[in-house]
């Protein structure tokens, strides 16, 4: 059996700097798995924390978390058996109807999700499905605009984790729906680009069987890492269907019944 060697701090910092330089120069970089390995989850999250810390030092504020790799197909593609997560920052946030400069997100791809806004901290207790349900203030239809600093989306599990779970931006819809009004696992989703359906219809069960199950998983992971979920934070619970690439001029709309619709348009130029 091959022994896993934990990367040194300078190696972790080198991986983080590679991703930060790619972002600053707007030039995708080589995968970081050559530095931190393909399977070292702890190292990947260590790099993610360094990347996020650098952005926070420049003024960004944490406003929530995102869950990725919630579909069986994507997990199989990357050879993993669990989701991942990243950090949402205030400079990633948009409202439905906004425009986003296409060059502000590297290699952008859009996907439809349910976003939950928390009314209570998820820091103590069992962090089970019942507690998560009781802690949610409301849900909204959301678009996640994924982005990758890794050239040609050539990602393995540690690459996407280190790259803040391939985060780019997120867009929240206008309608606030309480959990007593719907069951997240039963929602129906369609994604269209310029009025043409771009993803097969999906439902809430595509996200770990129930988007609230994904949030419970995240709550336990976040607490274990010493950064529990807090009241007021936005939680993107995971894709309800496949990602689709977007280009300048595209108008993307997600319809998630009964949460309503959310739309964003991509424009030329940088933010």
């Amino acid at each position: 059996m091959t022994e896993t060697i934990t990367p040194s701090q300078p190696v972790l910092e080198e991986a983080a700097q590679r991703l930060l330089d790619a972002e600053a120069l707007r030039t995708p970089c080589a995968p970081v798995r050559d530095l931190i390995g393909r399977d070292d989850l702890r190292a990947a999250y260590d790099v993610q924390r360094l990347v996020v810390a650098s952005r926070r030092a420049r003024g960004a504020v944490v406003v929530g978390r995102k869950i990725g790799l919630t579909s069986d197909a994507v997990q199989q593609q990357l050879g993993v058996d669990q989701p991942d997560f990243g950090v949402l920052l205030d400079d990633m946030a948009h409202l439905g109807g906004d425009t986003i400069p296409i060059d502000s997100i590297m290699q952008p791809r859009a996907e439809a999700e349910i976003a939950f806004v928390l009314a209570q901290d998820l820091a103590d207790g069992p962090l089970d499905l019942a507690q998560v349900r009781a802690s949610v203030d409301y849900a909204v239809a959301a678009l996640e605009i994924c982005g990758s600093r890794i050239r040609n989306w050539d990602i393995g599990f540690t690459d996407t984790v280190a790259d803040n779970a391939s985060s780019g931006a997120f867009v929240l819809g206008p309608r606030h729906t309480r959990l007593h009004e719907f069951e997240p696992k039963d929602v129906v989703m369609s994604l269209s680009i310029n009025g043409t359906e771009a993803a097969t219809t999906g439902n809430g069960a595509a996200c770990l069987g129930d988007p609230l199950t994904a949030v419970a998983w995240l709550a336990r992971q976040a607490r274990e890492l010493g950064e529990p979920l807090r009241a007021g934070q936005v939680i993107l619970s995971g894709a309800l269907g496949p990602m689709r690439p977007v280009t300048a001029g595209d108008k993307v709309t997600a319809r998630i019944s009964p949460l309503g619709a959310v739309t964003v348009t991509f424009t030329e130029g940088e933010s």
Side-chain angles (χ1 to χ4, degrees), residues 49-65:
R49 281 191 287 274
L50 290 170
V51 168
V52 171
S54 176
R55 292 184 62 176
R56 292 178 71 179
R58 286 177 276 132
V61 176
V62 174
V63 294
R65 305 287 179 85

Side-chain angles (χ1 to χ4, degrees), residues 43-255:
Y45 279 113
D46 284 343
V47 174
Q48 181 188 116
R49 281 191 287 274
L50 290 170
V51 168
V52 171
S54 176
R55 292 184 62 176
R56 292 178 71 179
R58 286 177 276 132
V61 176
V62 174
V63 294
R65 305 287 179 85
K66 60 154 286 185
I67 308 169
L69 307 182
T70 52
S71 107
D72 288 340
V74 175
Q75 288 186 12
Q76 291 170 13
Q77 179 185 1
L78 295 183
V80 299
D81 59 0
Q82 62 178 306
D84 71 345
F85 66 86
V87 177
L88 300 179
L89 301 167
D90 61 341
D91 58 7
M92 300 162 59
H94 298 269
L95 296 176
D98 282 357
T99 59
I100 298 178
I102 195 70
D103 291 343
S104 67
I105 302 170
M106 299 181 70
Q107 306 179 103
R109 297 179 178 184
E111 59 188 23
E113 307 194 11
I114 300 175
F116 297 100
V117 177
L118 298 180
Q120 302 173 27
D121 292 353
L122 285 169
D124 301 309
L127 302 183
D128 57 11
L129 203 58
Q131 183 180 356
V132 166
R133 181 180 288 274
S135 299
V136 170
D137 188 4
Y138 59 86
V140 300
L143 286 163
E144 181 182 0
I145 314 304
C146 300
S148 181
R149 272 51 57 178
I150 306 296
R151 189 180 304 121
N152 298 323
W153 278 90
D154 177 18
I155 58 172
F157 191 42
T158 52
D159 295 304
T160 187
V161 169
D163 191 21
N164 198 22
S166 301
S167 61
F170 65 97
V171 188
L172 301 182
R175 183 186 300 176
H176 295 184
T177 306
R178 310 289 176 176
L179 289 184
H180 71 267
E181 300 176 77
F182 81 110
E183 277 296 332
K185 63 183 175 59
D186 294 333
V187 302
V188 176
M189 176 278 295
S190 67
L191 181 72
S192 65
I193 299 178
N194 302 324
T196 301
E197 188 171 302
T200 55
T201 299
N203 59 41
C207 180
L208 291 185
D210 185 336
L212 290 175
T213 298
V215 178
W217 172 86
L218 173 63
R220 293 189 292 270
Q221 296 296 313
R223 181 172 68 180
E224 184 177 330
L225 292 173
E227 298 180 2
L229 306 182
R230 298 298 185 186
Q233 289 188 337
V234 176
I235 309 299
L236 294 182
S237 58
L240 303 176
M243 293 189 297
R244 291 291 182 254
V246 292
T247 59
D250 283 345
K251 182 177 183 179
V252 181
T253 299
R255 292 178 174 83

